[in-house]
Amino acid sequence: MFDSGPISMETIASLFDPSRECVKMIDTEGRLGWMNAGGLCAMEISDFALVEGADWASCWPDEGKFKVQAALAASPAEPAHFTTFCPTAVGTPKWWDVSVMPLRDPLDDHYGYLATSRDVTHREAAKAARNTVLQEMRHRQGNQMTVASMLMVVYAARDPALRQFADDMSARLAALGRAQAVVGRKDGPDAEGYPLLSLMDVLVQPMAGPDCALYVEGGRDIVVALEDVDLVGVVLSELAVNSVKHGAFGQSGTVTLTARRSPDGVSITWTERAAHPVEGTFRDGAQGLSLMHRMAALSGAEFRLDWRTFGPNAELTLRS
């Protein structure tokens, strides 16, 4: 029988049985002592007696098993949090966001753990789909930049006057390729993310035309979480490409990138002022604009774009 400490099992059941999350009581040896009704349903377990007393870590595949073991091995016991995959008792594949909280009695003696697992399968599926699309986009963009660079070199070989231009553009395309590699890589120079100033430099600077002034303000101490690197890359790349084709990067003007912390998270603002009125704008339903809005929604961020006569004002707010 699981020792529930100073709180009766009846009280615990009344608190957690209605929850749709999988709530478990684990003893100090890592054995399952109790599971709420919502958890039995989520894990598709017909009767708790089938798993009562089982080693909790052994219920998980290898990756999850190691995370559970690490969470229970801390001495002194401390809270833990992780996300991992585990199928249900009947084999339904699911991802779980897991929190483990040590339980202590009034004398501060540790007598077990309260573990909560939330089903985040839909979130992880959306993330996987997004990453698949981004990988395909990066692959195609890489191929296009390679082909464009080769064509310029071939045509420039026929006209010495074009060689310097071809060399400059080839260097720019190579920089864009490095930018795409940064966006696709999940191991930036910082273990927890990627410095925002470095990301701006590698994504935007290569596309700034010689007659356009690019100003970067703030952001020196801001690190973009790894899960937001793709989003920042897509938004800045889309804005820069549109500017090259229609706005300040393709003609004289200014682009100002401003980064700051706010109560809502991290805000990145793009302010563009071309020398002449810009005709090629992002339109409602256009692929680039839709992509930026979809990416922001998937990441729990907010993207706003206000089109002006001489270029757009855009703001991306990251919640992490």
Side-chain angles (χ1 to χ4, degrees):
M1 181 67 179
F2 177 76
D3 179 7
S4 61
I7 306 175
S8 70
M9 291 304 302
E10 289 76 13
T11 300
I12 292 171
S14 67
L15 289 172
F16 295 112
D17 257 341
S19 174
R20 298 174 65 180
E21 297 180 342
C22 182
V23 183
K24 300 161 288 293
M25 302 286 286
I26 314 294
D27 69 16
T28 55
E29 300 299 319
R31 296 184 296 256
L32 282 166
W34 176 84
M35 185 182 296
N36 68 329
L40 293 172
C41 181
M43 285 298 299
E44 299 182 303
I45 298 172
S46 59
D47 187 347
F48 180 65
L50 298 173
V51 294
E52 186 174 9
D55 177 53
W56 185 40
S58 68
C59 299
W60 298 79
D62 285 345
E63 181 181 351
K65 180 185 299 184
F66 297 144
K67 292 181 178 181
V68 169
Q69 289 173 337
L72 302 184
S75 182
E78 59 185 25
H81 176 262
F82 54 87
T83 300
T84 192
F85 172 81
C86 184
T88 68
V90 299
T92 304
K94 289 189 178 184
W95 283 84
W96 305 91
D97 187 83
V98 184
S99 296
V100 181
M101 180 67 65
L103 297 172
R104 300 184 183 280
D105 63 21
L107 298 178
D108 202 34
D109 290 328
H110 174 225
Y111 66 88
Y113 303 86
L114 179 70
T116 303
S117 304
R118 180 166 57 92
D119 184 353
V120 291
T121 305
H122 290 301
R123 184 191 75 186
E124 294 299 314
K127 185 187 298 184
R130 183 192 69 179
N131 290 339
T132 299
V133 170
L134 286 169
Q135 288 171 7
E136 178 64 20
M137 288 174 55
R138 286 191 288 268
H139 176 69
R140 293 185 180 185
Q141 288 173 339
N143 287 344
Q144 291 170 350
M145 286 186 286
T146 300
V147 170
S149 182
M150 291 175 61
L151 286 173
M152 282 190 295
V153 171
V154 169
Y155 281 105
R158 303 174 183 176
D159 186 348
L162 295 176
R163 287 179 182 171
Q164 184 60 51
F165 170 77
D167 289 343
D168 290 344
M169 290 305 298
S170 294
R172 183 163 291 183
L173 288 171
L176 286 175
R178 291 194 298 272
Q180 290 302 320
V182 168
V183 174
R185 195 170 60 239
K186 292 298 185 182
D187 57 347
D190 190 287
E192 298 299 324
Y194 202 94
L196 180 56
L197 283 182
S198 297
L199 200 56
M200 288 178 172
D201 182 62
V202 78
L203 288 167
V204 180
Q205 184 64 54
M207 304 186 76
D211 297 323
C212 178
L214 174 63
Y215 302 105
V216 178
E217 302 175 354
R220 186 170 301 278
D221 62 341
I222 296 177
V223 174
V224 178
L226 290 179
E227 59 267 25
D228 289 328
V229 168
D230 282 330
L231 171 60
V232 173
V234 166
V235 169
L236 292 183
S237 295
E238 284 291 328
L239 291 170
V241 167
N242 196 72
S243 183
V244 169
K245 292 165 61 178
H246 307 292
F249 279 175
Q251 54 178 284
S252 57
T254 62
V255 171
T256 303
L257 271 173
T258 306
R260 66 182 186 277
R261 296 187 184 278
S262 70
D264 294 328
V266 172
S267 176
I268 303 169
T269 304
W270 174 290
T271 305
E272 182 170 345
R273 293 294 178 267
H276 307 287
V278 178
E279 297 181 359
T281 67
F282 287 109
R283 303 175 306 279
D284 287 342
Q287 185 175 5
L289 184 59
S290 296
L291 177 64
M292 290 187 285
H293 280 296
R294 287 200 305 270
M295 288 286 295
L298 282 171
S299 300
E302 183 177 358
F303 176 73
R304 296 187 297 274
L305 187 142
D306 176 26
W307 194 266
R308 309 281 179 92
T309 302
F310 294 92
N313 282 1
E315 184 174 15
L316 175 66
T317 302
L318 308 174
R319 303 302 181 186
S320 57

